[in-house]
Amino acid sequence: MAISKAERLMNLALCLLGTRRPLSKRELRGSIEAYLEAGSDDSFNRMFERDKDDLRELGLVIETVENLDGEVGYLARRDSNRLPPVTLDAEEAAALGLAAKVWQQARLAGAASGALQKLRAAGLPEDVDPYGAHGALEPHIPVHEAAFEPLMLACRDRRPVAFEYRKATAARPELRQVEPWALECWRGHWYLAGWDRERGAERVFRLSRITGKVRNRPGKFTAAVPDVVTVRETVASWAGETADRSALIRLRAGAGYPLRAKAVSVRELGDGWEELEIPYGHGLDAWLVEFGPDVVVLEPAELRADVVDRLRAVAKG
């Protein structure tokens, strides 16, 4: 049975960390079973160079040393590959515990739990319980969209992706080629900020409108990735967070509580309706459509027209 690459890398790392003197390629080839199975010297050399680069990319510091005979050897000194002691005060430990709770519904829950257990073993303060059930804060971010995990990995690895996306005003989804930058949760919904290759501009996509699978695309990013602050501001702006004026709407009594929380003023109209003045910014039309017949836009006229267009598109779809 062929030896897996992960096992081969582990064996090479152990050899380099366990030696007190540099080991030559010849010695490494004779010590690692996978290298013994290499069909030729060229095959071994290519495999070894790839493995050495992979270990360095993973963070292992590998030194190259040439002896008096001109033979090149390799080793990984323990003092160069030893992390400093983990020291966390009570506030830092509590912050990590809260961060782990955020992902309790996502597939990251296992990794977060395992990380906290390792920190406990490494010296996490005994008087801090990251899993305490009686804490004052219980952060909760829902992650229901199937697109979340592949997009999260694509953002981390800087991989272009493609997916079918259905706009609120479109009856059918359309293919999008995107260079993903970051994911943001806003008002209980996840959004992806990235570079839309077809449109040659930055765009924000709501994950719940992504249909089908997210597919990776070959190649590298073609557009520069902005810093984190800029990305977050972009997400907030495209999702409707930035408001530069006001809108007047009618809202059915007992409905639209998120709208009430944003209201500047509320006036009773009777017959089960109220009039609200709310901040008006980019994306408000898409948000109002979600409330269906419970909301009627009074002004401005362009917002009312945008909401009507979106509702008609939904009805046709």
Side-chain angles (χ1 to χ4, degrees), residues 1-4 7 33-34 37:
M1 182 180 295
I3 298 175
S4 68
E7 182 179 350
E33 185 178 354
E37 297 177 356

Side-chain angles (χ1 to χ4, degrees), residues 132-149:
H134 305 292
L137 295 177
E138 286 290 334
H140 178 76
I141 298 180
V143 182
H144 303 298
E145 293 86 354
F148 175 83
E149 185 174 359

Side-chain angles (χ1 to χ4, degrees), residues 41-200:
D41 290 342
D42 288 342
S43 177
F44 159 69
N45 285 329
R46 289 194 299 270
M47 186 185 302
F48 173 73
E49 292 300 326
R50 286 197 302 267
D51 291 349
K52 182 158 56 71
D53 290 342
D54 287 343
L55 287 177
R56 281 174 169 162
E57 187 175 345
L58 290 171
L60 189 68
V61 180
I62 302 175
E63 296 183 24
T64 302
V65 181
E66 185 175 341
N67 61 23
L68 295 177
D69 297 328
E71 187 178 32
V72 176
Y74 306 89
L75 80 161
R77 301 185 192 276
R78 289 183 178 271
D79 55 353
S80 300
N81 291 281
R82 184 180 293 115
L83 294 175
V86 177
T87 56
L88 297 173
D89 57 28
E91 290 78 8
E92 291 169 335
L96 287 174
L98 289 173
K101 288 182 179 182
V102 166
W103 300 108
Q104 58 187 338
Q105 282 194 329
R107 289 184 59 181
L108 290 174
S113 175
L116 284 176
Q117 290 178 10
K118 292 177 182 178
L119 288 172
R120 174 72 77 186
L124 191 70
E126 291 297 331
D127 58 341
V128 176
D129 182 11
Y131 303 100
H134 305 292
L137 295 177
E138 286 290 334
H140 178 76
I141 298 180
V143 182
H144 303 298
E145 293 86 354
F148 175 83
E149 185 174 359
L151 288 176
M152 178 195 68
L153 296 175
C155 290
R156 183 197 67 184
D157 300 336
R158 294 289 186 257
R159 290 198 310 264
V161 295
F163 48 78
E164 298 286 336
Y165 187 76
R166 179 186 55 79
K167 295 192 299 184
T169 56
R172 295 181 180 84
E174 58 182 23
L175 181 66
R176 296 295 185 95
Q177 305 273 353
V178 179
E179 298 172 10
W181 293 343
L183 291 164
E184 291 288 339
C185 187
W186 185 80
R187 285 182 178 159
H189 298 290
W190 280 98
Y191 294 86
L192 169 71
W195 183 261
D196 190 318
R197 287 181 167 180
E198 297 294 329
R199 289 153 183 80

Side-chain angles (χ1 to χ4, degrees), residues 21-39:
R21 62 174 181 83
L23 297 177
S24 66
K25 282 188 179 182
R26 174 179 49 80
E27 291 173 310
L28 289 169
R29 186 176 186 182
S31 302
I32 298 176
E33 185 178 354
Y35 292 156
L36 288 172
E37 297 177 356

